[in-house]
């Protein structure tokens, strides 16, 4: 990989802003790093959610459902 998840998220958010993307991509970070500072940096970079390993399928589903726009 050329960049980590935080760098990738930052690039994606910059692209969305520069191109006036109407609906931004939902980004859920997954990492083994549990430190609060790392998770806060992930959220500050533009991630919608951050889940630490080990995780269960329901953790991913919950993160998506909590941040998915209502229709």
């Amino acid at each position: 990989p050329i960049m980590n998840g935080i760098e990738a998220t930052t690039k994606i958010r910059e692209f969305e802003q520069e191109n006036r993307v109407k609906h931004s991509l939902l980004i859920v970070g997954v990492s083994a790093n549990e430190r609060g500072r790392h998770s806060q940096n992930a959220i500050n970079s533009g991630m919608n959610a951050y889940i630490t390993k080990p995780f269960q399928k329901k953790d991913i589903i919950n993160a998506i459902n909590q941040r998915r726009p209502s229709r």
Side-chain angles (χ1 to χ4, degrees), residues 11-57:
K11 294 279 187 190
I12 291 168
R13 295 303 184 219
E14 288 172 356
F15 174 87
E16 290 173 340
Q17 190 172 33
E18 290 168 4
N19 293 282
R20 296 186 176 117
V21 174
K22 191 172 185 177
H23 300 288
S24 63
L25 185 67
L26 177 67
I27 301 174
V28 178
V30 179
S31 176
N33 193 335
E34 293 186 39
R35 291 185 295 209
R37 186 173 191 185
H38 190 269
S39 63
Q40 191 58 51
N41 287 341
I43 297 298
N44 289 343
S45 75
M47 289 185 191
N48 300 93
Y50 181 83
I51 299 171
T52 57
K53 297 176 186 176
F55 62 89
Q56 296 180 355
K57 182 179 176 180

Side-chain angles (χ1 to χ4, degrees), residues 52-64:
T52 57
K53 297 176 186 176
F55 62 89
Q56 296 180 355
K57 182 179 176 180
K58 68 177 174 82
D59 298 325
I60 297 279
I61 292 169
N62 287 340
I64 292 168

